Amino acid sequence: MRFLSTLGQLPGTWQNLLLIVLSGTVEGIGLTLFIPLLNLMSDESLGGISLPFSRLTDLIETIGLNVNPVTLLILITVFTLASLLLGYLQRKMLIKSKQIYSRDLRNKFFNGILDSNWQYSSGRAHGEIANQLNIECARAGVALGMELLAVATAIQVLTYFAFSVIISWELVVITVIFSILAYIVVRPVIAHAKILGEETSVANRNISFYAIEFLRSLKLLKATGAEEMPKKDMSEHSNTLNKVSFHSELNTTRVYFLVQALPVILLTSIIGISIELIETPTSLILVFLLFMARTAPRVAQFQQQLNSFHLASPAIRIVNQMVAESYEAKENINPTGTKFKSIKKEIEIKDVSFKYKNAETLAIDRVSLKIPRNKMIAIVGSSGAGKSTIMDLLCGLYVPDNGKI
């Protein structure tokens, strides 16, 4: 799945993003208050503060507070704690939204299987259904959670970026150029995560499918002494899953290394350039670096969240496809028909013909019989003669192509 293509599917998406915007803005204001604080600590004067930072001190004085180090430290603490509280509320809402989504998706998936016609539901492998119901539905919730977290992290980065532009647009230009180069370096690793995500889905599906199918045929395997065959097959599938899981975790580790190493290079470059070339005031450099120190972990988180989204996102497509197929094959229960109450005289099958989907010949051809009330009959025939088909038609699992029951 493409990033952002599924944004909004998670309940409470927009409330989550609103909390993130508020959290980032409040934290940005708190960090900006370090500029007047550093000026007071260095020369005990606020006269050297340029616009728009001088407006902050004017606003503080307007509400009746003295602008001194103690006041500024208290305000910084209040804004920081408020930002953390908003972040906590956002994470709490996200956890709840993710669990609700996974629960509703499992119910929708299972109900879709039960409501589909017999021809469709009987053709689905039990192992495949169990894997999608248990593993893929959970992975779909994780993918949407990671997508929302990545968007939330990007909003925080943009908020820090806006405050950084106010502090020094020259340093921001340097940061943007470096970020573009960093993206070029990291992009191939992120792209590889998409491939590994697809391979993980296939490996998980194969493990669940073959495990359940082998267990269902365990009696036959033991009776024929064929236990070695499933052992060999399961060993191969386990090795495949192990290999894919190893490369997935290794790819995540590579992303972690890159996004931790690149910001270090960026910070040292900014300090050198701001001192030697731009001659930026020390207080602005320190606060700009403080914003960068807050931004760098967010960029690292964004890359890891994006990587995790690509690893888990194939589950969204797999489950949504199965849900769509099952609802497309929904059974026609004929709600406007006559409601069955009891058999008054007999059950009559009259000139009934039926052919299975994709079959070349009819399973039964113009069959007629009567089953009197309170009587028993035996339907006898060779394998493939249509005995089970007649019973399925009587139960309403299939609808005759011709004739009437």
Side-chain angles (χ1 to χ4, degrees):
M1 303 292 292
R2 295 180 58 186
F3 182 61
L4 298 181
S5 64
T6 54
L7 185 65
Q9 290 189 19
L10 206 64
T13 293
W14 310 117
Q15 293 90 327
N16 267 273
L17 295 181
L18 177 61
L19 285 175
I20 278 296
V21 171
L22 293 175
S23 175
T25 303
V26 170
E27 184 180 12
I29 295 172
L31 294 177
T32 305
L33 289 173
F34 274 102
I35 294 176
L37 176 63
L38 291 172
N39 273 276
L40 286 174
M41 293 174 64
S42 59
D43 56 19
E44 299 184 354
S45 172
L46 297 174
I49 301 177
S50 60
L51 289 172
F53 308 111
S54 60
R55 298 295 186 189
L56 285 175
T57 57
D58 293 341
L59 181 60
I60 294 172
E61 291 175 344
T62 301
I63 61 177
L65 297 176
N66 293 323
V67 180
N68 55 56
V70 175
T71 301
L72 291 172
L73 285 171
I74 292 174
L75 289 175
I76 290 171
T77 302
V78 170
F79 276 101
T80 302
L81 291 177
S83 173
L84 292 173
L85 177 60
L86 289 169
Y88 166 77
L89 294 175
Q90 182 266 331
R91 285 301 186 101
K92 180 181 178 181
M93 182 182 295
L94 176 60
I95 293 171
K96 185 177 180 180
S97 298
K98 187 170 63 175
Q99 297 301 324
I100 290 174
Y101 172 82
S102 295
R103 180 201 65 192
D104 292 345
L105 185 61
R106 286 191 185 97
N107 291 337
K108 186 177 181 181
F109 177 86
F110 190 69
N111 292 342
I113 294 294
L114 291 180
D115 291 338
S116 63
N117 59 57
W118 177 246
Q119 191 157 351
Y120 173 83
S121 57
S122 62
R124 305 274 70 80
H126 294 176
E128 183 181 9
I129 292 176
N131 172 68
Q132 292 175 356
L133 187 64
N134 183 31
I135 298 177
E136 300 300 340
C137 284
R139 289 184 70 216
V142 169
L144 291 180
M146 285 299 170
E147 182 181 43
L148 182 54
L149 278 177
V151 173
T153 303
I155 290 174
Q156 284 186 315
V157 170
L158 291 174
T159 304
Y160 296 150
F161 180 81
F163 280 98
S164 300
V165 170
I166 297 173
I167 295 172
S168 174
W169 66 267
E170 297 98 333
L171 294 180
V172 169
V173 170
I174 297 171
T175 303
V176 169
I177 294 173
F178 184 88
S179 299
I180 293 173
L181 296 175
Y183 174 75
I184 294 173
V185 173
V186 175
R187 184 181 178 184
V189 185
I190 297 296
H192 190 52
K194 297 180 182 179
I195 300 174
L196 292 172
E198 294 286 352
E199 293 178 354
T200 301
S201 293
V202 173
N204 279 325
R205 184 181 68 234
N206 288 340
I207 283 285
S208 298
F209 173 79
Y210 285 105
I212 292 177
E213 295 305 314
F214 284 142
L215 290 173
R216 289 180 62 197
S217 58
L218 185 59
K219 183 177 181 180
L220 180 61
L221 291 172
K222 285 188 168 294
T224 57
E227 294 96 330
E228 293 303 318
M229 182 191 69
K231 287 180 182 179
K232 181 180 178 181
D233 289 347
M234 282 302 297
S235 177
E236 291 177 357
H237 291 301
S238 295
N239 288 336
T240 300
L241 180 59
N242 178 72
K243 183 179 178 180
V244 173
S245 299
F246 170 77
H247 286 293
S248 296
E249 292 192 29
L250 182 61
N251 194 74
T252 302
T253 304
R254 290 191 185 117
V255 173
Y256 179 80
F257 171 77
L258 289 172
V259 298
Q260 292 293 329
L262 292 174
V264 174
I265 301 173
L266 172 62
L267 292 177
T268 54
S269 300
I270 287 175
I271 293 174
I273 293 173
S274 59
I275 294 175
E276 298 296 331
L277 300 179
I278 303 178
E279 298 182 354
T280 307
T282 302
S283 61
L284 293 184
I285 294 175
L286 290 175
V287 176
F288 185 86
L289 291 177
L290 185 58
F291 272 103
M292 289 298 99
R294 297 295 293 161
T295 303
R298 297 293 187 275
V299 174
Q301 287 176 2
F302 175 79
Q303 295 292 352
Q304 289 178 318
Q305 289 157 356
L306 189 60
N307 182 70
S308 298
F309 167 77
H310 286 311
L311 285 173
S313 62
I316 303 175
R317 174 184 53 79
I318 291 171
V319 177
N320 285 343
Q321 180 179 346
M322 178 66 84
V323 170
E325 289 176 357
S326 62
Y327 275 83
E328 186 178 345
K330 188 172 182 179
E331 185 176 18
N332 181 15
I333 59 175
N334 190 21
T336 59
T338 303
K339 186 175 181 180
F340 174 79
K341 295 181 179 179
S342 62
I343 298 174
K344 296 180 179 179
K345 182 180 179 183
E346 62 190 6
I347 299 175
E348 181 180 6
I349 299 177
K350 188 175 182 180
D351 295 328
V352 168
S353 298
F354 178 77
K355 183 174 73 171
Y356 288 102
K357 187 178 180 180
N358 300 325
E360 295 181 358
T361 59
L362 292 170
I364 58 173
D365 185 13
R366 292 174 295 179
V367 171
S368 297
L369 65 87
K370 293 182 180 180
I371 307 174
R373 181 184 178 188
N374 296 328
K375 299 292 183 181
M376 296 179 62
I377 68 166
I379 301 176
V380 181
S382 59
S383 178
K387 304 182 298 296
S388 297
T389 303
I390 291 175
M391 296 307 300
D392 290 342
L393 287 165
L394 284 173
C395 294
L397 298 177
Y398 296 118
V399 177
D401 295 328
N402 293 297
K404 184 178 180 181
I405 299 178

